[in-house]
């Protein structure tokens, strides 16, 4: 009987992805420290390696503006269109070099290398070289027998990049033990700050300590997820590759406004816009929505401003993905929420109680979504997919809203707008 080969996974993770994207079309910034800011240029959400010693993650921009200037650190507004396009390019390159790929987030992916012939270390270095050559994005590669160990191997590849060349293979026991002993337990995939605070009083301070802990007892004390994590650290594969993401159970669209809003009309525009985007996401996973939650709030941290925050649940007449019906329901809910005299900073639309088509049972005489609505939404999505998001939209959704989030430091959309293509002189 042929023995089944042992599982092998790789985690390919982009280095300082948002900052790296900004550098691709600005080679003059190759050695310049960079930070990227959140919506409305609120706080730091990404840092290049050169900026990390001077700026912490999540620091408010207004607090670190002088520090950035003093150390020659450039700040950029988040350019999600650019980052999304560059992510797709990176994943396409990797997909052409491995048998199976699970895109885990915008800047990292798991690949299954089980049964591949040849040196996997050389494959990892080939992936790094091709991604860098074809996209300009630097990546690290971690290889191991489980996804959790591959994640830790990737961390080691970045932490000791000079020694490793950006690729670490933990399939050998000696290599695995060395990395486990030299990595803090908080670096293990799935061990957040809260769990770390629970584990340290138990004497578990490194990944090695966790790997040698009693998996069963800690699983009973905390969760089965922790038990699987421990077994993965010891080399037992418990997490398979997920090539297709399961449909989300909730969809939320929520953003801060560029300026405070006091009138109902611009609030209605914002709620309609967020509903439109949430409905697009709903249809992209072929789900229907039964309930919505609409909420608005003022700023929470200014003691000189009156504060107000409230949300309301909306039951839709039938499971639907019709933007028009959902927009009417959301705007009606806003009418009930709105109170004059406040300066609102944020709105939120959340789609709840989602179901897949054909997976719900309703009353025989209940109203269902008309077939005409499905055809209209199909045409809407087809036009926007071909000609760009927002080409066709609800009348309630403005093309250039005055309340849109501030992005005063945004780079050009080099890959998605013809009028902002890179110019070479």
């Amino acid at each position: 009987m042929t023995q089944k080969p042992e599982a092998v996974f790789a985690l390919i993770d982009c280095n300082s992805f948002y900052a790296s994207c900004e550098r691709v079309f600005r080679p003059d910034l190759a050695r310049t420290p960079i930070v990227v800011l959140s919506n409305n240029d609120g706080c730091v959400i990404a840092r290049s390696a050169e900026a990390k010693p001077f700026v912490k993650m999540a620091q408010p921009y207004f607090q670190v503006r002088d520090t950035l200037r003093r150390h020659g650190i450039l700040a950029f507004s988040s350019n999600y269109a650019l980052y999304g396009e560059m992510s797709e390019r990176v994943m396409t390159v990797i997909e052409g070099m491995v048998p199976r790929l699970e895109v885990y987030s915008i800047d990292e992916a798991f690949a299954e290398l089980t049964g591949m012939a040849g040196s996997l270390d050389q494959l990892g270095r080939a992936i790094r070289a091709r991604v860098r050559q074809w996209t300009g994005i630097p990546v690290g590669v971690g290889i191991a027998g489980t996804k959790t160990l591959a994640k830790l191997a990737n961390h080691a590849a970045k932490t000791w990049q000079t020694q490793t060349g950006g690729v670490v293979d933990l399939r050998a026991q000696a290599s695995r033990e060395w990395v486990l002993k030299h990595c803090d337990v908080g670096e293990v995939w799935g061990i957040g700050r809260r769990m770390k605070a629970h584990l340290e009083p138990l004497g578990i301070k490194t990944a090695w300590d966790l790997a040698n802990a009693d998996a069963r007892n800690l699983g009973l004390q905390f969760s089965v997820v922790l038990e699987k994590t421990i077994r993965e650290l010891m080399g037992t594969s418990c997490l398979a590759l997920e090539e297709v993401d399961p449909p989300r159970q909730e969809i939320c669209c929520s953003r801060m406004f560029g300026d405070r809003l006091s009138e109902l009309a611009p609030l209605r525009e914002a709620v309609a816009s967020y509903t439109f985007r949430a409905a697009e996401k709903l249809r992209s996973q072929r789900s229907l929505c039964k309930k919505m939650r609409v909420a608005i709030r003022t700023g929470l941290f200014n003691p000189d401003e009156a504060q107000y925050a409230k949300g309301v649940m909306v039951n839709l007449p039938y499971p639907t993905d019709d933007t028009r019906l959902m927009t009417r329901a959301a705007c009606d809910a806003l009418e009930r929420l709105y109170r004059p005299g406040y300066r609102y900073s944020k709105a939120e639309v959340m789609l709840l109680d989602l179901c897949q088509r054909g997976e719900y049972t309703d009353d025989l005489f209940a109203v269902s979504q008309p077939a005409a609505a499905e055809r209209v939404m199909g045409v809407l999505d087809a036009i926007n997919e071909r000609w760009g998001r927002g080409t066709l939209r609800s009348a309630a959704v403005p093309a250039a809203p005055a309340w849109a989030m501030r992005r005063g430091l945004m780079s050009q959309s080099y890959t998605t707008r013809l009028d902002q293509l890179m110019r070479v002189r």
Side-chain angles (χ1 to χ4, degrees):
M1 182 180 293
T2 304
Q3 187 176 0
K4 184 179 180 180
E6 292 186 2
V8 183
F9 298 93
L11 178 69
I12 303 99
D13 188 10
C14 301
N15 299 345
S16 304
F17 180 60
Y18 288 178
S20 295
C21 288
E22 298 292 350
R23 283 174 165 163
V24 169
F25 299 95
R26 291 284 306 275
D28 57 306
L29 301 179
R31 300 187 181 279
T32 301
I34 291 172
V35 297
V36 177
L37 307 175
S38 64
N39 293 343
N40 287 314
D41 297 339
C43 62
V44 175
I45 58 171
R47 306 163 295 167
S48 66
E50 302 85 355
K52 289 180 180 179
F54 308 104
V55 187
K56 295 180 180 179
M57 285 289 283
Q59 280 192 282
Y61 177 52
F62 75 90
Q63 290 183 357
V64 299
R65 189 182 284 112
D66 291 339
T67 301
L68 301 182
R69 189 181 301 111
R70 188 163 58 251
H71 294 285
I73 302 172
L74 289 186
F76 287 90
S77 301
S78 48
N79 188 342
Y80 295 119
L82 174 64
Y83 307 152
E85 173 68 18
M86 294 305 297
S87 172
E88 187 173 346
R89 293 185 183 191
V90 169
M91 299 309 167
T92 300
V93 173
I94 299 170
E95 195 171 23
M97 301 182 71
V98 299
R100 298 173 61 202
L101 191 72
E102 173 195 340
V103 178
Y104 181 66
S105 68
I106 192 172
D107 64 344
E108 58 185 331
F110 285 102
E112 185 168 356
L113 309 181
T114 305
M116 287 194 70
S119 169
L120 296 186
D121 181 84
Q122 291 181 8
L123 174 64
R125 297 184 191 284
I127 290 173
R128 289 190 80 239
R130 185 177 295 183
V131 171
R132 186 61 183 266
Q133 181 181 7
W134 289 12
T135 71
I137 302 294
V139 301
V141 181
I143 301 170
T146 71
K147 292 174 76 173
T148 302
L149 281 171
K151 186 88 167 173
L152 200 62
N154 186 279
H155 169 72
K158 291 184 175 182
T159 303
W160 298 288
Q161 186 165 342
T162 303
Q163 298 90 327
T164 65
V167 178
V168 168
D169 186 344
L170 293 188
R171 288 177 296 159
Q173 184 175 349
S175 301
R176 183 166 61 248
E177 288 187 5
W178 191 93
V179 169
L180 288 172
K181 289 176 180 178
H182 287 80
C183 285
D184 185 270
V185 69
E187 300 297 342
V188 176
W189 187 29
I191 305 297
R193 282 181 292 179
R194 291 185 180 180
M195 182 56 67
K196 180 181 176 181
H198 288 302
L199 294 175
E200 286 187 336
L202 302 177
I204 301 174
K205 298 182 179 180
T206 66
W208 176 254
D209 296 331
L210 183 60
N212 287 278
D214 189 318
R216 179 62 176 163
N217 284 340
L218 284 179
L220 291 172
Q221 184 176 353
F222 295 106
S223 71
V224 68
V225 174
L226 181 59
E227 181 178 349
K228 288 183 178 181
T229 297
I230 296 171
R231 298 191 188 282
E232 288 244 324
L233 289 176
M234 289 304 292
T236 301
S237 181
C238 302
L239 304 173
L241 206 70
E242 297 180 7
E243 294 181 270
V244 179
D245 293 333
R248 284 178 287 180
Q249 300 303 304
E250 297 177 355
I251 293 176
C252 180
C253 190
S254 171
R255 292 187 180 90
M256 301 287 288
F257 307 135
D259 295 298
R260 298 287 197 267
L261 301 181
S262 300
E263 303 299 323
L264 180 59
L267 278 172
R268 188 183 293 111
E269 289 181 352
V271 167
S273 299
Y274 298 170
T275 304
F276 188 89
R277 180 65 184 126
E280 283 185 328
K281 295 179 180 179
L282 181 73
R283 292 192 296 273
S284 70
Q285 66 176 35
R286 297 193 55 78
S287 295
L288 300 174
C289 174
K290 298 181 182 179
K291 294 180 181 179
M292 301 173 61
R293 185 179 186 274
V294 180
I296 54 175
R297 69 169 173 84
T298 61
L300 301 179
F301 305 107
N302 188 343
D304 298 326
E305 282 189 354
Q307 296 183 4
Y308 173 79
K310 193 173 183 181
V312 63
M313 196 73 72
V314 180
N315 290 311
L316 297 170
Y318 45 79
T320 183
D321 61 6
D322 189 337
T323 296
R324 300 165 299 175
L325 173 62
M326 297 163 70
T327 299
R328 286 196 297 271
C331 290
D332 288 345
L334 176 65
E335 299 274 356
R336 304 200 301 270
L337 291 172
Y338 175 74
R339 298 288 183 275
Y342 292 98
R343 301 179 70 237
Y344 297 95
S345 66
K346 185 178 183 180
E348 177 182 281
V349 174
M350 181 174 290
L351 309 186
L352 304 166
D353 199 2
L354 308 187
C355 60
Q356 295 300 103
R357 296 176 182 275
E359 292 183 358
Y360 67 94
T361 302
D362 216 333
D363 186 273
L364 180 62
F365 301 102
V367 179
S368 59
Q369 177 163 281
E374 296 183 16
R375 291 195 295 271
V376 170
M377 292 301 105
V379 171
L380 170 69
D381 293 335
I383 291 174
N384 287 335
E385 183 177 353
R386 179 171 182 179
W387 300 107
R389 181 183 298 167
T391 301
L392 191 62
R393 61 187 185 276
S394 303
V397 177
W403 45 263
M405 62 181 177
R406 294 190 303 272
R407 292 194 286 182
L409 304 171
M410 194 169 75
S411 57
Q412 294 177 209
S413 298
Y414 299 101
T415 60
T416 56
R417 290 186 56 173
L418 290 174
D419 61 332
Q420 295 186 15
L421 292 176
M422 184 179 182
R423 295 184 179 181
V424 179
R425 297 179 180 178

